[in-house]
Amino acid sequence: MSKDKKEEQLLEWQTKPLSDNERLKSQSNFLRGTILDDLADPLTGGFKGDNFQLIRFHGMYEQDDRDIRAERLEEKLEPLKFMLLRCRLPGGIIQPYQWIEIDKFAREHTYYQSIRLTNRQTFQYHGVPKGKLQPMHRLLHSIGLDSIATAADMNRNVLCTSNPIESELHQQAYEFAKKISEHLLPRSRGYLDVWIDGKKVESSDDLFKEEEPILGKTFLPRKFKTAVAIPPLNDVDVYGNDMNFIAIQDENGQLAGFNVLVGGGLSFEHGNTKTYPNVSLELGYVPLDKTLDAAEAVVTTQRDFGNRNDRKNARTRYTIQNMGLDRFREEVEIRMGIKFEPTRPFKFTERGDRIGWVHGIDNKWHLTCFIESGRITDQPHLPLMTGMLELAKVHKGDFRITANQNIIIANVAEEDKAQIENIARQYGLIRPEVTKQREYSMSCVSFPTCPLAMAEAERALPDFVTELDKLMAKHNVSDDYIITRITGCPNGCGRAMLSEIGLVGKAIGRYNLHIGGDREGLRIPRLYRENITLEQIINELDVLIGRWAVEREYQAESFGDYVIRAGIIAPVTDAPKDFWVVN
Ligand code: SRM
Ligand code: SF4
């Protein structure tokens, strides 16, 4: 796009009518709305008008049980409404005493009685009735947790590589992830007034004194996501976030600063060619003492230049496409007061979690437990929830939720290792039968709770992987794996747009099949087959995996790299231009 065209486009964004979300943010009394009135309304299990959206700024979504929606409609009943709660947990670290409390609430008060680990290193409750919302927030508050800004148009939960092995560097990077999360939080008291104090503030002097110096009164144009990665592990999918920090060490192994990347994002809309997923792009390197300034400058640039009239084109990647990367960088540099240095060398080699025990350099042990799709429940043959509770009762270290929806029992002393291992084995948190392929497969939640779901994801994944395992065995590649992700719709929560095999829900039982992502998480996979069933996908993969098994050039050539080299699919090299091009 020419410079003039870009200016025109920016001007158009600024002059077109604002989306309704902008009105509701500005009229929300700093996100309080009339939520307290709705809480007191016994006639519905949900929230009305603007409040339906406003609760998202406090980390909740209204949902209903979609499995029984039609049945209830027939009986002339309101859908069974309840809330999803998403906790804020920078870097995914949670203490055992906190776990014991969140477990208790899940068992006693949630419809699904589960704890769901998300791929952004936190946990969700599904099925919290409206009447239990205030007690829930008060409980979280009492154990030092909250759900502020985990949804809606703000900086979400900040990710950080789950790497307790190099403990000192991890600690430094984690501290930074936490600082960023705190620095970019809303400053107004809306959350505390509504959920903790239950205090109605409609229009008072207190309110007029409130300010949002970073986010502004209308917050960001759209959701905003941040990740901190410690090479060589790209477990946080650093190319898929709006703002990314890649940790750079000095010669003594200490954290020196970060390479900053911007504009990653993985969603699109079926058929809407103005939308596309894209990987993040390099701005440059900043030393540690300027990193928080850089974060704030990126956020305020997106705040001021992002699209506020079309929410489908409002994420940072679209702002960058419109302004151009150089202009975006210039604006960030002006705001942070220094220029970026050239990006420092780094290399990512893997994205998965190291399932099982690893030994840290500080002599502590860490056990990563595989949790399929992050769902922690008590099933007859898999009592994971009770297992986690038993671990929490005795564990002296901490827990770390990974961006691959697994959990690490971190910082175990040598003398406690056997006890932890026994409990983990007893309750299915260590399962030798889990294949490498299963460990590298992930899904979003989808049905029955997600209102946007088009096809099954979490409930389809286990059987789909069983079929994939059979193919891997049939072609003698069971010792290898293919990063496989299912997402129930093109919003892309399952990060299928950074996988080697990505399934994107199209309709009940039907998916688009994308192939050609890479192991390091740098390449968007391209559409290979459209609107087909899981059985058809397995048939397609039978042929492709068969070819990969015999034709790969060297043992380590990954499936994603192979399908590109063999010319089966063309790589996506410049997503804004070529994501929608048919192979
Ligand atoms: Fe997501 C919306 C679940 C990670 C892109 N996502 C939703 C909602 C809240 C549906 C809704 O708006 O009503 C889903 C709730 C389902 C449920 O019942 O739990 C939902 N998203 C999830 C989680 C739980 C999936 C998981 O299995 O782990 C993840 C929660 C992360 C967290 O803790 O914050 C989750 N969502 C993602 C990711 C992956 C990531 O961030 O690494 C993406 C793609 C990356 C990106 O943002 O580009 C993602 N979710 C979306 C989008 C599309 C955003 C867009 O730019 O258009 C939506 C819809 C929206 O915002 O309008 C969405
Ligand atoms: Fe729901 Fe779609 Fe996200 Fe899956 S990808 S959780 S179906 S919004």
Side-chain angles (χ1 to χ4, degrees):
M1 206 188 284
S2 72
K3 207 171 168 203
D4 287 351
K5 188 90 188 125
K6 282 198 179 106
E7 293 299 334
E8 221 175 86
Q9 177 85 65
L10 272 175
L11 202 68
E12 189 191 321
W13 279 9
Q14 279 149 18
T15 48
K16 263 189 164 178
L18 297 177
S19 74
D20 192 51
N21 288 60
E22 296 302 317
R23 176 203 56 76
L24 83 87
K25 285 183 272 184
S26 67
Q27 294 177 356
S28 70
N29 278 353
F30 288 97
L31 307 178
R32 293 170 179 86
T34 52
I35 294 173
L36 282 172
D37 293 340
D38 278 8
L39 278 180
D41 179 357
L43 294 179
T44 169
F47 288 86
K48 297 192 285 282
D50 290 355
N51 297 333
F52 178 85
Q53 293 281 349
L54 284 177
I55 59 166
R56 296 182 176 192
F57 289 81
H58 305 292
M60 286 162 293
Y61 292 83
E62 181 176 315
Q63 302 188 318
D64 71 291
D65 181 347
R66 291 185 66 177
D67 284 345
I68 57 167
R69 194 189 276 179
E71 196 184 302
R72 285 181 68 95
L73 213 68
E74 247 172 53
E75 289 168 17
K76 306 250 177 311
L77 291 170
E78 174 180 90
L80 185 60
K81 293 184 181 177
F82 41 60
M83 260 42 72
L84 174 164
L85 177 279
R86 186 180 286 159
C87 190
R88 187 173 67 89
L89 215 57
I93 299 187
I94 184 162
Q95 304 302 325
Y97 80 91
Q98 294 171 320
W99 189 274
I100 291 172
E101 295 301 326
I102 66 161
D103 171 281
K104 188 164 182 278
F105 186 90
R107 285 172 198 270
E108 290 177 2
H109 301 300
T110 70
Y111 178 71
Y112 291 101
Q113 300 197 326
S114 74
I115 296 171
R116 174 57 153 75
L117 310 182
T118 79
N119 59 14
R120 295 195 69 79
Q121 291 187 296
T122 187
F123 71 88
Q124 287 183 174
Y125 285 141
H126 287 98
V128 185
K130 195 168 75 172
K132 290 293 169 196
L133 291 178
Q134 277 177 326
M136 172 188 70
H137 285 290
R138 287 172 186 151
L139 167 75
L140 291 178
H141 190 66
S142 73
I143 54 172
L145 298 176
D146 62 65
S147 64
I148 307 173
T150 54
D153 302 348
M154 303 201 261
N155 180 54
R156 308 276 184 102
N157 196 42
V158 177
L159 304 186
C160 182
T161 294
S162 318
N163 182 11
I165 305 166
E166 292 182 59
S167 44
E168 203 175 344
L169 186 66
H170 180 272
Q171 189 58 31
Q172 292 166 352
Y174 164 71
E175 290 300 337
F176 175 73
K178 210 163 141 223
K179 263 192 214 153
I180 275 221
S181 172
E182 280 155 15
H183 188 67
L184 299 176
L185 280 181
R187 304 285 160 90
S188 65
R189 285 189 46 89
Y191 176 87
L192 292 173
D193 283 346
V194 174
W195 303 108
I196 310 301
D197 302 336
K199 186 170 99 183
K200 218 170 186 170
V201 182
E202 271 166 11
S203 174
S204 71
D205 286 351
D206 284 353
L207 203 59
F208 291 120
K209 273 188 230 136
E210 283 196 314
E211 269 185 69
E212 287 295 355
I214 299 176
L215 299 172
K217 201 178 171 191
T218 48
F219 302 87
L220 300 181
R222 197 65 165 92
K223 55 170 65 167
F224 189 91
K225 298 185 174 178
T226 304
V228 177
I230 309 173
L233 193 54
N234 183 19
D235 57 343
V236 295
D237 263 327
V238 87
Y239 292 95
N241 296 269
D242 296 78
M243 176 165 72
N244 305 277
F245 295 89
I246 298 178
I248 303 295
Q249 308 178 41
D250 64 17
E251 55 284 0
N252 303 316
Q254 301 293 306
L255 184 62
F258 291 95
N259 289 333
V260 183
L261 288 80
V262 287
L266 305 176
S267 57
F268 62 98
E269 193 181 33
H270 285 310
N272 180 354
T273 53
K274 277 175 135 183
T275 65
Y276 53 84
N278 203 3
V279 290
S280 54
L281 308 167
E282 288 172 6
L283 286 182
Y285 170 85
V286 283
L288 203 52
D289 62 343
K290 289 304 273 181
T291 317
L292 219 48
D293 295 334
E296 185 176 323
V298 170
V299 166
T300 60
T301 301
Q302 163 63 0
R303 178 195 69 193
D304 297 343
F305 289 85
N307 187 342
R308 289 186 186 259
N309 50 62
D310 179 1
R311 290 180 66 78
K312 292 193 191 317
N313 276 125
R315 296 287 296 274
T316 316
R317 62 187 179 280
Y318 301 111
T319 315
I320 291 169
Q321 192 200 354
N322 280 332
M323 292 174 77
L325 184 64
D326 290 342
R327 168 109 193 262
F328 191 92
R329 184 187 292 108
E330 260 170 45
E331 194 59 45
V332 173
E333 287 175 338
I334 293 169
R335 290 165 190 242
M336 74 171 171
I338 58 159
K339 285 209 171 299
F340 284 102
E341 294 172 31
T343 297
R344 301 257 171 113
F346 64 95
K347 191 164 170 51
F348 288 118
T349 53
E350 49 176 321
R351 273 194 290 167
D353 294 336
R354 297 157 198 182
I355 303 296
W357 285 105
V358 290
H359 198 210
I361 53 177
D362 61 353
N363 249 347
K364 287 282 170 64
W365 287 91
H366 313 285
L367 173 66
T368 305
C369 300
F370 170 73
I371 310 287
E372 193 155 38
S373 293
R375 182 68 69 177
I376 299 189
T377 48
D378 273 347
Q379 300 298 325
H381 302 294
L382 209 55
L384 299 180
M385 199 160 165
T386 300
M388 277 303 302
L389 181 61
E390 292 305 314
L391 283 171
K393 287 179 189 164
V394 298
H395 181 39
K396 301 182 191 104
D398 51 43
F399 296 132
R400 294 172 185 203
I401 299 170
T402 78
N404 290 309
Q405 303 166 329
N406 296 314
I407 197 154
I408 305 176
I409 321 301
N411 290 310
V412 179
E414 178 74 45
E415 60 272 23
D416 298 327
K417 201 172 160 232
Q419 183 193 24
I420 296 289
E421 174 153 347
N422 283 343
I423 298 173
R425 278 192 191 284
Q426 188 185 344
Y427 293 95
L429 288 152
I430 296 178
R431 283 194 292 152
E433 73 277 15
V434 172
T435 59
K436 223 172 174 183
Q437 182 53 52
R438 199 171 288 278
E439 288 174 8
Y440 281 88
S441 302
M442 175 160 89
S443 80
C444 71
V445 178
S446 199
F447 286 102
T449 51
C450 180
L452 309 178
M454 296 176 174
E456 294 282 355
E458 185 183 316
R459 296 194 297 200
L461 186 79
D463 289 349
F464 183 75
V465 177
T466 301
E467 293 308 310
L468 210 48
D469 274 341
K470 286 183 198 158
L471 291 185
M472 298 293 276
K474 175 178 165 188
H475 298 294
N476 291 320
V477 284
S478 291
D479 56 340
D480 212 330
Y481 65 91
I482 305 169
I483 296 182
T484 301
R485 295 171 175 180
I486 307 184
T487 201
C489 81
N491 283 314
C493 305
R495 289 206 290 268
M497 286 303 105
L498 281 178
S499 63
E500 295 178 89
I501 295 176
L503 275 58
V504 182
K506 193 85 203 280
I508 301 289
R510 297 201 160 254
Y511 301 81
N512 286 354
L513 170 62
H514 287 243
I515 57 171
D518 60 356
R519 288 244 170 115
E520 298 76 27
L522 277 156
R523 201 167 54 223
I524 305 282
R526 184 180 293 287
L527 178 64
Y528 179 65
R529 294 285 183 263
E530 199 172 355
N531 201 21
I532 57 176
T533 62
L534 290 176
E535 199 184 333
Q536 288 170 313
I537 289 173
I538 287 294
N539 291 338
E540 293 285 348
L541 293 177
D542 191 3
V543 177
L544 294 177
I545 293 173
R547 283 188 61 183
W548 169 56
V550 294
E551 291 173 17
R552 54 184 171 170
E553 264 188 344
Y554 45 95
Q555 203 61 16
E557 186 176 33
S558 68
F559 176 82
D561 287 350
Y562 162 75
V563 292
I564 300 281
R565 184 185 55 79
I568 295 167
I569 197 96
V572 172
T573 52
D574 184 4
K577 295 200 186 97
D578 70 355
F579 174 70
W580 288 94
V581 175
V582 181
N583 195 31

